[in-house]
Amino acid sequence: MAALPTAVKIVEVGPRDGLQNEKEFVPTAVKIELIDRLSKAGFPNVEAASFVSPKWVPQMADGAEVMAGIARREGAIYSVLTPNMRGLEGALAARADEIVIFGAASEAFSQRNINCSIAESIERFVPVAEAAKAAGVRIRGSVSCSFGCPYQGEVPVASVVDVVQRFAALGCDEIDIADTIGVGTAKRVHEVFEAVTKVFPRERLSGHFHDTYGQALANIYAALEEGIAIFHASVAGLGGCPYAKGATGNVATEDVLYLMNGLGIHTGVDLDQVVEAGDFISKAIGRANASRAGKALLAKKQSAAECA
Ligand code: HMG
Ligand code: MG
């Protein structure tokens, strides 16, 4: 078996993917404090906001204020979602380091999430990608429903490969293979990554796993075995997609860091500080912390404090 990567990049998506589905508006100051805590913890990349229609995702309406308020750590990349030119303009004005164009490997999900077909979405992304390149901003493409779709069910591997190729042609620096509803299992992860690495460089592919069926850590391990070295995770396991009913949050960042630390894989991120950030945001939005490692480490710390 091939050796696992010795270092991985963890992209913290909690401030965007984690919070976008919250019904109650999370105050801008809370979003900013969360991002600042994550920056201090050492993440090389934080997905900070979306410049999407506030009618579609009201929670992300304050993206400009969030981006203006955060204390950026030098060298870190702050990414934002941009579905169209209007979003791109907002992203450039906000000095985003990376824009995320997001499509799907499933026609039904594309319609529900961005109100157009896959082909139309690619056409819409052409000027967005051109303008981002002209402005010297990185471009990431996210392929939703790469392991299954809440509306269509099965998604052929060939559909994932097709969208990856289209994103590659747009000049994406990085492409996310996303399990939007967390249905993938390790065997499928091997199959999908074996196929997409034939059309796009392995080192610029990422795994974006939601943990709905409890498979995310196993899927990450399978992706590591495929040589994938970029993973998305959400602090305290926050999240769910507003256009994927029943989908729960991304894999919890604390759990991923615990796994990487155990494997001796370098992340550059301080687990203790992420645990504190997870506790902060869970309390701020009144949600139970969904990270197993986060809860265990908080309990350990509390009992150590009681014994002292
Ligand atoms: P539409 O209704 O077809 O487009 O939506 P429209 O051009 O008719 O715009 C509708 C209204 O939104 C208009 O306002 C526009 O001005 C406004 P009105 O005239 O009615 O007052 N609008 C905007 N406002 C601010 N910023 C913008 C913008 N664009 C239009 N950029 C559209 C099409 C793509 C805009 C819409 O469907 C949309 O915003 N969708 C975003 C959905 C979304 O954010 N989903 C969650 C993120 S994706 C995700 O979570 C998956 C991921 O995590 C990977 C995975 O897990 O799978 C990435
Ligand atoms: Mg997602």
Side-chain angles (χ1 to χ4, degrees):
M1 196 196 305
L4 302 183
T6 54
V8 296
K9 174 168 98 170
I10 305 292
V11 181
E12 170 56 52
V13 298
R16 195 283 303 173
D17 209 344
L19 294 182
Q20 70 179 7
N21 207 28
E22 282 300 315
K23 296 279 169 292
E24 291 273 311
F25 191 75
V26 178
T28 306
V30 171
K31 290 172 179 148
I32 291 171
E33 176 161 358
L34 174 62
I35 295 169
D36 286 350
R37 282 171 177 258
L38 296 166
S39 294
K40 284 191 191 126
F43 287 97
N45 192 163
V46 179
E47 200 169 89
S50 290
F51 287 84
V52 300
S53 167
K55 287 190 179 140
W56 285 64
V57 185
Q59 185 60 253
M60 292 285 106
D62 58 350
E65 291 80 5
V66 169
M67 289 295 282
I70 57 174
R72 300 181 192 213
R73 196 169 56 80
E74 214 188 314
I77 291 169
Y78 295 88
S79 317
V80 304
L81 268 59
T82 55
N84 52 21
M85 280 307 283
R86 171 122 182 238
L88 191 268
E89 282 152 23
L92 294 182
R95 295 189 301 111
D97 303 292
E98 179 179 74
I99 58 132
V100 184
I101 51 180
F102 49 106
S106 140
E107 282 294 350
F109 189 80
S110 182
Q111 289 290 352
R112 294 291 216 304
N113 194 37
I114 49 176
N115 206 22
C116 62
S117 69
I118 296 172
E120 284 163 349
S121 76
I122 299 295
E123 269 171 48
R124 198 183 276 175
F125 296 144
V126 170
V128 175
E130 278 170 1
K133 278 264 177 259
V137 171
R138 278 174 57 90
I139 308 170
R140 171 146 64 79
S142 188
V143 187
S144 285
C145 299
S146 292
F147 300 88
C149 169
Y151 309 109
Q152 175 184 312
E154 284 283 311
V155 173
V157 176
S159 305
V160 184
V161 171
D162 180 53
V163 180
V164 167
Q165 283 176 310
R166 294 181 198 219
F167 273 163
L170 290 175
C172 284
D173 296 290
E174 211 165 289
I175 297 181
D176 314 328
I177 306 302
D179 190 1
T180 315
I181 51 169
V183 289
T185 54
K187 183 168 176 281
R188 188 64 161 183
V189 170
H190 281 293
E191 288 163 2
V192 170
F193 277 106
E194 257 171 41
V196 294
T197 48
K198 291 198 172 89
V199 298
F200 195 75
R202 195 179 301 271
E203 60 277 13
R204 295 199 273 128
L205 283 165
S206 79
H208 176 111
F209 295 107
H210 285 260
D211 202 22
T212 318
Y213 287 79
Q215 300 299 303
L217 284 182
N219 290 342
I220 286 175
Y221 195 85
L224 283 170
E225 289 181 322
E226 289 296 326
I228 299 305
I230 309 172
F231 295 101
H232 295 191
S234 177
V235 63
L238 296 170
C241 178
Y243 296 99
K245 281 223 174 340
T248 60
N250 299 80
V251 62
T253 313
E254 298 89 320
D255 299 4
V256 177
L257 290 172
Y258 188 82
L259 173 68
M260 297 302 167
N261 290 350
L263 291 169
I265 295 177
H266 177 78
T267 64
V269 180
D270 183 80
L271 174 56
D272 283 342
Q273 289 190 56
V274 180
V275 168
E276 290 299 326
D279 190 39
F280 160 76
I281 191 63
S282 301
K283 285 178 178 152
I285 65 173
R287 282 208 175 268
N289 190 325
S291 167
R292 304 285 285 267
K295 279 189 292 193
L297 290 166
L298 282 167
K300 194 172 157 190
K301 204 166 159 185
Q302 203 179 342
S303 71
E306 280 162 11
C307 291

